[in-house]
Amino acid sequence: MRKFIAVIGVFFTLGFLCAKGIKFPKKVSEMLDKGLKSGEVRDDLSLSSIKNLYYPAQAGNIYFVNFIKASLPKIEKGKPSHLFLRLYDRKGKKVEDLYSPITEVSDIYSFAVSFNSKKYTLAVMVATNDLKKLSIIYKEINGGELIDYMHLGTTPVVFLKNMIKLEAAVREFRCYRGEFPLGLYMVYPYLENQFKGGETPGLFFFILGAKAKKPSNTYNINVSYEIQKDGKKITAFPRQNLTYTVVYQPISLKSHGKSLGAGDYELVIKILDLNTRKEIEKKIPFKVV
């Protein structure tokens, strides 16, 4: 656990530098700009944004992960489909262009981008290799509202299938198939909180707004977890006392040694910052199938 926290700490130190992509084809650039102004876009591939995650990064920046779906046709070897990403500022001026080939059809595509705490419009285009079929979506992002250090809170709470250590942090912009890089790990999340009874997914999130005690500059955070069904406690987990703000907690979907039966449940998380006496409660719904 502590080794994991230390490696994730590299994430804060290094941040994420998404390499800028190739110059967009004129047709692509014009369509993105025109769609931003007119609101009229093509959607040949049924493109949709299905989930966002976000994490604090270096120098007050935000690491934003977006998961999308698109109905791409079969991709031939050597003829990849395309992911074009353009970030606009609040005045509609281009901030950054990013590009990644899509080499394999997937149920879900994922990508990550870094930006600071301002308002943006994120334009996403997915296109076939010949650009004859394409879809565009626009997403309004207010970075200042995502990461809030003034109040006790968390980043989105996500269940993980796995985390695999990398040899080095990923620096360039890439399109993935539902996973994403974070620090020195590749993260594999459950996008729909559905599990089999008896599984043990990993719970992952950052605590925001906790105050470090001076002069030691250490946190003193109490975190407890319990599983409820129909508002009644089914099982509870040992209370954690943390001196850091990154949480990775395996959650065993069992009660009194037996796997949870099929149905709807809630994971209740209670966080107390002992340095300020502020506390919050979060409820994460999930389903056992």
Side-chain angles (χ1 to χ4, degrees):
M1 175 66 178
R2 292 192 176 276
K3 183 179 179 181
F4 162 76
I5 296 299
V7 175
I8 282 292
V10 175
F11 172 57
F12 287 102
T13 305
L14 299 179
F16 282 81
L17 302 176
C18 294
K20 293 193 176 184
I22 62 172
K23 184 177 180 180
F24 286 2
K26 184 177 180 181
K27 173 184 176 181
V28 170
S29 187
E30 289 178 346
M31 291 184 69
L32 291 174
D33 291 345
K34 182 179 179 180
L36 179 68
K37 294 177 181 179
S38 68
E40 297 179 4
V41 296
R42 285 174 55 180
D43 189 21
D44 306 326
L45 302 173
S46 301
L47 178 62
S48 62
S49 176
I50 60 172
K51 191 179 184 69
N52 305 314
L53 299 174
Y54 47 85
Y55 302 100
Q58 182 185 21
N61 289 337
I62 297 166
Y63 187 64
F64 185 83
V65 187
N66 191 204
F67 301 86
I68 60 174
K69 285 189 175 183
S71 299
L72 281 167
K74 183 179 179 180
I75 299 175
E76 297 181 28
K77 186 176 181 179
K79 295 183 178 181
S81 294
H82 310 289
L83 173 64
F84 297 99
L85 189 75
R86 175 166 288 178
L87 197 65
Y88 296 92
D89 65 17
R90 61 189 305 171
K91 295 182 179 180
K93 183 180 179 181
K94 182 182 74 173
V95 175
E96 187 172 27
D97 282 346
L98 298 165
Y99 168 80
S100 174
I102 301 175
T103 58
E104 192 173 354
V105 172
S106 177
D107 292 336
I108 295 171
Y109 304 95
S110 49
F111 60 85
V113 60
S114 297
F115 48 76
N116 58 28
S117 298
K118 296 181 180 180
K119 291 183 179 181
Y120 298 97
T121 298
L122 182 66
V124 181
M125 177 190 285
V126 174
T128 54
N129 180 263
D130 56 10
L131 299 179
K132 290 183 178 179
K133 289 187 177 182
L134 58 90
S135 288
I136 303 172
I137 57 174
Y138 296 90
K139 189 175 190 65
E140 301 295 326
I141 301 172
N142 187 339
E145 293 180 351
L146 295 182
I147 303 295
D148 178 10
Y149 293 108
M150 300 303 295
H151 304 90
L152 187 64
T154 72
T155 58
V157 177
V158 62
F159 288 101
L160 302 186
K161 302 174 186 176
N162 200 0
M163 297 185 77
I164 297 177
K165 190 177 179 182
L166 304 172
E167 293 184 359
V170 177
R171 294 292 187 174
E172 66 272 16
F173 180 74
R174 297 180 189 174
C175 183
Y176 297 93
R177 302 176 62 197
E179 71 274 22
F180 64 93
L182 185 67
L184 292 177
Y185 282 86
M186 188 64 69
V187 180
Y188 296 82
Y190 287 98
L191 296 184
E192 297 180 354
N193 294 344
Q194 293 190 6
F195 313 97
K196 295 179 181 178
E199 283 191 293
T200 306
L203 195 70
F204 179 66
F205 58 94
F206 283 62
I207 298 172
L208 304 172
K211 302 301 180 183
K213 187 176 181 179
K214 297 180 181 181
S216 60
N217 206 36
T218 57
Y219 295 95
N220 188 7
I221 304 171
N222 186 281
V223 186
S224 63
Y225 312 86
E226 65 180 46
I227 294 176
Q228 295 183 359
K229 184 174 177 60
D230 299 326
K232 297 180 180 180
K233 182 171 70 174
I234 300 298
T235 189
F237 299 86
R239 190 180 300 269
Q240 290 181 307
N241 289 304
L242 307 179
T243 56
Y244 40 81
T245 59
V246 185
V247 177
Y248 179 78
Q249 173 64 39
I251 299 294
S252 177
L253 303 183
K254 294 182 178 181
S255 177
H256 304 290
K258 296 183 179 180
S259 299
L260 296 182
D264 295 320
Y265 297 85
E266 283 186 322
L267 177 67
V268 180
I269 307 170
K270 296 180 180 180
I271 301 172
L272 170 63
D273 181 0
L274 292 169
N275 288 339
T276 64
R277 306 309 300 181
K278 293 181 179 179
E279 58 184 329
I280 60 169
E281 179 179 289
K282 301 183 77 73
K283 294 185 177 182
I284 315 300
F286 68 91
K287 181 184 290 289
V288 173
V289 296

